[in-house]
């Protein structure tokens, strides 16, 4: 799919945009993209609140509880490349509307999941919800890169990710009040049969109400997106196999970037998923579930602050060098948290969010540099790599179960950040274009 310069508001503005190196100059659409980043970021972060709730209700160990993230992020592996194909055929705005409607359906599936009191149905609802988020993200990442001059794409995508971080900061706090605020006082281990099913259905009532509210909001946003489906005039790309984009992995900068997205998302999600239980430990802050949940926004809030700072820093310093620096900072904070107790242990873990801030958008834009017209295809492959969030968290939970220590389980995220730091050094120089100018 390509942009047609005639789609600009006027011939003069289109010509000016082309001379400035714009893919498309549409400030109003950039604002709209920021709103989409806010929505799908916030919904994703609600998993950090749902995990301790479902862990308690279904008496799960850490590895089982973190299957919530596996069900959620598995959608990225399955849906990303087909979503990129849909973008090429139908355009950005129509595909975004489809993704939002799929997200709405996932929210509605929480109703039968609660009534059946079945953990597997909750996982399926989360998978459908994540499938919609995947479609929206395949649209949002390349589009925000194209809505402006290429030389500022790193900064622009980081700024857009700041709105993603704003959503991840706001949603967990509200979710903690609504979902963890009424964490049960009855031990589900003492119940069986119909009594246990009724108890689980009652205790997930606020989960259902939260997601029904989100479903209503998503329906409204989808309607607005659909009404603007003609805002961009796009040409359809030639029909290709959905697997055609995989040949981009042979490009080392791109292939290693996809690997780093896999590792980054896995590490970020693993840490975020364990925050509530980590802070509840007597050896750290010894908080209640609700109070620990209210600390989750500090983790994501650090990413919010860091992305606004990063949007400025990345215009002055090589993105690769910045990436290597923050990845090293994450490793140092993990070592500090794992080898200390009390407030130092708890707050150093939360501070990793600040280091995470610029990693995803920077890795994405570094990997996508020079792809030209194949940027949308590359986005589909990179978003597929977000499946790291389905694999690394349960492995981290398995380490916690086997070692009996959440502190020791942080070794896996630390290893992920080490690879990312190396990639930052590797990409400290600009990429060569995939196609001749």
């Amino acid at each position: 799919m390509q942009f047609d310069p005639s789609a600009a508001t006027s011939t003069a503005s289109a010509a000016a945009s082309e001379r400035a190196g714009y893919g498309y100059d549409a400030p109003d659409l950039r604002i709209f993209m920021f709103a989409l980043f806010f929505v799908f970021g916030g919904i994703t972060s609600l998993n950090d609140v749902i995990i301790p709730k479902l862990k308690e209700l279904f008496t799960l160990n850490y590895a089982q509880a973190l299957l919530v993230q596996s069900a959620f992020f598995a959608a990225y592996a399955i849906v990303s490349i087909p979503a990129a194909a849909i973008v090429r055929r139908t355009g950005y705005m129509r595909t975004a509307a489809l993704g939002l409607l799929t997200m709405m359906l996932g929210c509605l599936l929480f109703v039968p999941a609660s009534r059946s009191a079945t953990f597997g149905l909750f996982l399926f609802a989360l998978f459908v919800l994540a499938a919609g988020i995947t479609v929206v993200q395949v649209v949002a990442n390349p589009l925000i890169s194209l809505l402006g001059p290429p030389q500022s794409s790193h900064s622009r995508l980081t700024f857009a990710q700041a709105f993603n971080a704003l959503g991840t900061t706001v949603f967990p706090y509200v979710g903690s009040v609504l979902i963890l605020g009424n964490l049960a006082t009855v031990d589900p281990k003492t119940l069986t049969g119909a009594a246990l099913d009724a108890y689980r259905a009652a205790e997930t009532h606020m989960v259902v109400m939260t997601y029904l509210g989100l479903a209503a909001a998503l329906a409204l946003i989808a309607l607005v997106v659909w009404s603007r489906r003609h805002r961009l005039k796009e040409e359809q790309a030639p029909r290709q196999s959905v697997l055609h984009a995989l040949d981009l992995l042979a490009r080392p900068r791109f292939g290693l970037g996809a690997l780093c997205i896999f590792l980054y998302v896995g590490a970020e999600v693993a840490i975020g998923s364990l925050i509530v239980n980590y802070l509840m430990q007597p050896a750290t802050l010894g908080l209640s579930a609700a109070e620990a949940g209210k600390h989750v926004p500090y983790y994501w809030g650090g990413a919010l602050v860091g992305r606004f700072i990063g949007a400025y820093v990345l215009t002055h310093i090589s993105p690769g060098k910045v990436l290597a620096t923050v990845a090293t900072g994450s490793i140092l904070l993990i070592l500090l948290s794992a080898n200390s107790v009390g407030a130092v242990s708890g707050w150093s873990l939360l501070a990793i969010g600040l280091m995470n801030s610029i990693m995803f958008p920077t890795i994405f834009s570094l990997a996508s540099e020079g792809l030209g017209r194949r940027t949308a295809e590359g986005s589909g492959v990179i978003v597929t790599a977000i499946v790291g969030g389905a694999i690394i968290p349960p492995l981290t939970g398995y380490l916690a179960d086997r070692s009996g220590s959440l502190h020791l389980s942080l070794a896996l995220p630390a290893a992920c950040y080490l690879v990312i730091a190396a990639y930052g050094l590797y990409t400290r120089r600009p990429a060569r274009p995939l196609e001749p100018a």
Side-chain angles (χ1 to χ4, degrees), residues 263-264 267-268 271 299 303 322-339 347-360 363 410-421:
L263 297 174
Y264 162 70
E268 180 190 49
I271 293 171
Y299 178 69
V322 176
L323 179 63
T325 300
V326 295
T328 302
S330 295
I331 296 170
L332 295 176
L333 286 170
I334 287 176
L335 291 174
L336 177 61
S337 181
N339 292 281
W347 286 101
S348 56
L349 185 77
L350 293 171
I352 294 171
L354 181 62
M355 299 296 105
N356 285 338
S357 57
I358 60 95
M359 288 194 198
F360 183 93
I363 295 170
L410 295 176
L412 182 55
C416 296
Y417 288 124
L418 182 61
V419 177
I420 294 169

Side-chain angles (χ1 to χ4, degrees), residues 111-416:
V111 175
S114 176
R115 289 179 178 175
S116 67
T118 304
F119 182 57
L121 281 181
F122 277 104
L123 296 182
F124 178 69
L126 286 164
F127 174 83
V128 175
L129 175 59
I133 291 176
T134 302
V135 173
V136 174
Q137 195 156 346
V138 167
V139 170
N141 285 321
L143 185 54
I144 200 68
S145 294
L146 292 169
L147 291 175
Q151 60 268 27
S152 64
S153 62
H154 297 290
S155 176
R156 190 165 55 256
L157 186 55
T158 296
F159 186 75
Q161 287 284 340
F163 286 87
N164 180 282
L166 178 62
T168 61
T169 302
V170 173
F171 278 55
Y173 186 88
V174 176
S176 296
V177 174
L178 296 177
I179 296 172
L180 296 182
N182 64 337
L183 200 63
T185 55
V186 177
D187 186 354
K189 295 179 182 178
T190 63
L191 303 175
T192 58
L196 179 59
D197 291 342
Y199 164 76
R200 286 171 172 167
E203 286 298 314
T204 55
H205 175 70
M206 283 310 302
V207 176
V208 171
M209 296 306 295
T210 300
Y211 280 89
L212 284 179
L214 289 173
L218 290 168
L220 179 61
I221 297 172
L223 181 61
V224 173
V225 173
W226 184 254
S227 69
R228 297 172 64 80
R229 63 190 181 278
H230 299 301
R231 179 64 179 84
L232 295 178
K233 232 172 141 181
E234 301 164 276
E235 298 175 1
Q236 290 187 346
R239 187 179 296 276
Q240 296 173 334
S241 166
V242 295
L243 298 180
H244 177 259
L246 294 179
D247 67 0
L248 291 173
L249 293 173
R251 182 178 168 92
R253 188 183 185 100
F254 182 83
L256 292 173
L259 172 63
C260 285
I261 289 291
F262 177 94
L263 297 174
Y264 162 70
V265 174
E268 180 190 49
V269 171
I271 293 171
S273 301
L274 294 175
I275 284 176
V276 173
N277 292 106
Y278 197 90
L279 299 183
M280 289 172 64
Q281 296 178 117
T284 50
L285 299 182
L287 301 175
S288 66
E291 287 303 312
K294 291 178 182 178
H295 280 66
V296 173
Y298 288 111
Y299 178 69
W300 298 110
L304 170 64
V305 173
R307 281 170 182 162
F308 281 114
I309 297 173
Y312 172 78
V313 172
L314 287 167
T315 62
H316 294 79
I317 302 176
S318 163
K321 293 179 181 178
V322 176
L323 179 63
T325 300
V326 295
T328 302
S330 295
I331 296 170
L332 295 176
L333 286 170
I334 287 176
L335 291 174
L336 177 61
S337 181
N339 292 281
S340 59
V341 295
V344 173
S345 178
W347 286 101
S348 56
L349 185 77
L350 293 171
I352 294 171
L354 181 62
M355 299 296 105
N356 285 338
S357 57
I358 60 95
M359 288 194 198
F360 183 93
T362 304
I363 295 170
F364 179 91
S365 54
L366 285 171
S368 300
E369 270 187 6
L371 294 186
R373 296 179 179 180
R374 301 194 66 184
T375 300
E377 293 178 66
S379 176
V381 176
I382 290 178
V383 174
T384 301
I386 293 177
V387 72
I391 296 172
I392 292 176
L395 289 177
T396 305
Y398 175 78
L399 287 177
D401 292 329
R402 294 288 292 177
S403 66
S405 170
L406 289 178
H407 288 71
L408 291 177
S409 70
L410 295 176
L412 182 55
C416 296

Side-chain angles (χ1 to χ4, degrees), residues 20 46 84-85 400:
L46 277 181

Side-chain angles (χ1 to χ4, degrees), residues 39-40 43 99-107 129 132-133 136 218:
V39 171
F40 68 69
I43 291 177
L100 288 163
L101 290 175
T102 305
M103 290 169 65
M104 182 188 72
L105 175 61
C107 291
L129 175 59
I133 291 176
V136 174
L218 290 168

